Every structure is written in C-alpha cells, then in structure tokens.
Amino acid sequence: MCGIAGLIHKGKSSNVGGEMTAMLQALKHRGPDSTGYAVYGEPTEGDYVLRLKVAEAEDMAKGRGIHQVLADRITEVEAIMQEHGVTVKTKEHATEYALRYLISHEGDTTALAEHIEETDGVEILSLGNGLELIKDLGDASDVAGLYGLNEFNGTHGIGHTRMATESDVDIRSAHPYWAFPYNDVSVVHNGQITNYWIMRRQMERKGHRFMSNCDSELLAVYTANNLANGVTLEQSLRNSIEEIDGVFTYLVATKDQLGMAKDTMAAKPLVLYESDDLIAMASEEVAIRAILPQEIDTYDPYDEEVRVWQA
C-alpha cells in the first residue's frame, strides 16, 4: 500500500515543493519507508540539472573509510564531466551521498549519463532541463527538510510514499523513477505488474538499463522507450493498459505535461481535482485537502482512464 500524488499548474509557477510536501505528508500512513519527489522548475536553455547519489544512506554507517570512498567517487564523476566538455555552474551537497549539479553541456547527454554510471556506487537520479528528482528514507517532512524542498518553485510535480513489499528499503528502490535516458520524464506508481520480468527482458534487449528490481521502474523504462520512438505521452499511457499486466495506477510527468493511467480493474485508488488553473490528484482525498482546504469537488477516474494535462 503506497501513496502517489501529483499536481500541475496551468500557465504559472507556484511553490510546488511545499505543495507536494503537504500532500505526501498527508499520505505518510500509506508508506513510511521512503519518500520521493519529481519536481519541475523553470528550465534555462542549454542548462541541465544533474541529481545523483554516490552511496546509499545505509552505507554511511560502514565506518570512517566510507567518507574517502565517497570523495573518490565524486572526483571520478567530475573528471568524467570534464572529459565530456561539461561546464559545472553550481554544485550542492544535500547530504554527503547526494549531490546536485547545474551544468552546461552541448554534447550527448545519454553518453554522459552512461559514462558517469560506470563509476562504482554512483546512480543518476535525474538529468534534465526542468526535472529534479529527489528521494530518500523517511517521510516527506524529513526529506523536504534535508533537501530544501519546501520553497521549490515550479509548474508541476509528482511524488510517492513507499511501503516496501517486494524490494529493499533503500534509495535505489524508492520512487519516483527517471525514465533514463529520456530527459525530464519521471514516473510514480501504485500497484503490482505481473508480467514484469517478461517486459523487463524485452526492454533490456532494446538496450535499456535497470537500476533496481522494483516493478515500478519498468513503467519509467517503458515510457522512455515509447517517447524515444516518437509515441506521444497520451498514446504511451493508452498502450500500457493493453501491454502491461497487473493492477496499477501511475502518473507520468514530462517537462511540460502530467499524465495518469489506470488499469482495466481500477483496483488502485486515485482521487482527482480539476479547476481552470490547477489539477491535483492523489491516492486519497486527504492529500488534496492538505493544499485545498476549501470546499471542492473531486472524482475517481474510471477503469482504463487516461488523462494528460499541459502546464
């Protein structure tokens, strides 16, 4: 039983970090193990935000030597960026194991990302013009405070509170997932995919990589494969209902869109609110009420329903 949430503002920016924190904290009871955000700021042409981790949170308890290991990994990552002609504009440590770089790069971002991930213990969480993907252990209040998300300004975001059922309690298995290597695409999911291994092997044969054994990552990779082949977000969501087996409700965000899909049984809940300038959705209405305390009308999307909204 996990919790998912998402919102998108039409034609304006807002404090989506604070809004997503309020929504996800209201869903804490659905998933206490980890919390994740994919939030979308206002991109600058030619610039990318690179979010990565150089260790798991639990690795920090492995003794004093771990600090030098992390420093060496960061040095190697920065040497790779220099090799690819990357200009680092800013560098921030949210934690000793999680970093944020604002970079300028005119080359192949896929080649850059693949090279960086050859470094032992390093995983790119996101790379994009607008997307910033942050996830860690703890509830939304913990993660937002640690990563400074309460004042993040942007147009839209999605998030997830996780109760681990079939994979580990670690950052690697937490949601959201970036749709590597497709810039600015992220996914959160509530449910279970029953043809996961069949679909995963299909994606791996096409050259896609997986960083975990979490079935939700498949939806990110599946979406990346479709978008890379010219399929629209809406059509990708519709195709998934036919091609992916199981019970699922999931949200996909791109640089300027937010989409949702429910499977044929619609067993996993989603409540939706829509106005002229704001769309908000979550596993439970209490999350929407956390940012809209006034009287509002909500509804539950039907089975096989697909919706896409533009920022």
Side-chain angles (χ1 to χ4, degrees), residues 17-77:
E19 291 166 340
M20 288 302 305
T21 297
M23 294 179 76
L24 294 171
Q25 192 66 13
L27 296 173
K28 175 182 176 179
H29 59 283
R30 296 186 66 91
D33 294 326
S34 61
T35 305
Y37 298 69
V39 286
Y40 290 77
E42 298 177 354
T44 302
E45 190 68 31
D47 287 349
Y48 295 90
V49 177
L50 170 64
R51 290 268 188 179
L52 57 81
K53 67 178 180 67
V54 293
E56 289 288 337
E58 63 188 24
D59 292 338
M60 304 312 298
K62 292 183 176 179
R64 287 177 291 180
I66 188 63
H67 304 290
Q68 186 58 51
V69 170
L70 268 55
D72 291 343
R73 289 174 180 173
I74 293 169
T75 298
E76 185 172 348
V77 166

Side-chain angles (χ1 to χ4, degrees), residues 69-235:
V69 170
L70 268 55
D72 291 343
R73 289 174 180 173
I74 293 169
T75 298
E76 185 172 348
V77 166
E78 292 176 354
I80 290 170
M81 288 197 285
Q82 185 175 14
E83 181 181 336
H84 284 259
V86 170
T87 299
V88 176
K89 294 188 172 183
T90 62
K91 171 186 174 182
E92 302 171 33
H93 275 271
T95 66
E96 192 173 358
Y97 53 83
L99 294 92
R100 178 189 187 272
Y101 292 92
L102 177 63
I103 64 173
S104 177
H105 180 53
E106 296 180 356
D108 184 346
T109 55
T110 299
L112 171 64
E114 289 175 342
H115 195 177
I116 288 174
E117 287 197 339
E118 290 176 6
T119 306
D120 182 52
V122 173
E123 178 185 351
I124 295 178
L125 301 179
S126 64
L127 174 62
N129 299 113
L131 168 64
E132 300 201 33
L133 197 153
I134 303 99
K135 51 187 177 180
D136 212 323
L137 308 186
D139 64 23
S141 179
D142 295 333
V143 176
L146 191 62
Y147 288 84
L149 295 174
N150 286 312
E151 300 298 331
F152 185 96
N153 201 54
T155 53
H156 57 299
I158 58 176
H160 187 272
T161 63
R162 181 169 184 261
M163 178 181 290
T165 54
E166 296 184 1
S167 51
D168 295 334
V169 179
D170 54 21
I171 300 172
R172 178 181 293 108
S173 302
H175 302 210
Y177 283 101
W178 171 43
F180 181 98
Y182 207 88
N183 290 342
D184 293 306
V185 179
S186 59
V187 172
V188 292
H189 159 246
N190 180 25
Q192 184 179 34
I193 296 173
T194 54
N195 63 340
Y196 166 75
W197 287 107
I198 294 172
M199 295 292 293
R200 173 169 172 162
R201 284 190 287 270
Q202 290 177 3
M203 293 296 107
E204 288 175 332
R205 284 195 291 269
K206 293 178 180 180
H208 293 282
R209 71 95 163 101
F210 287 77
M211 294 300 292
S212 75
N213 291 322
C214 182
D215 61 353
S216 303
E217 186 179 11
L218 172 67
L219 292 168
V221 175
Y222 173 88
T223 303
N225 180 72
N226 284 338
L227 296 179
N229 285 286
V231 179
T232 65
L233 176 58
E234 181 174 355
Q235 191 58 54

Side-chain angles (χ1 to χ4, degrees), residues 229-248:
N229 285 286
V231 179
T232 65
L233 176 58
E234 181 174 355
Q235 191 58 54
S236 178
L237 292 165
R238 295 193 185 281
N239 291 350
S240 71
I241 296 172
E242 299 295 326
E243 297 174 355
I244 296 177
D245 296 334
V247 289
F248 55 83

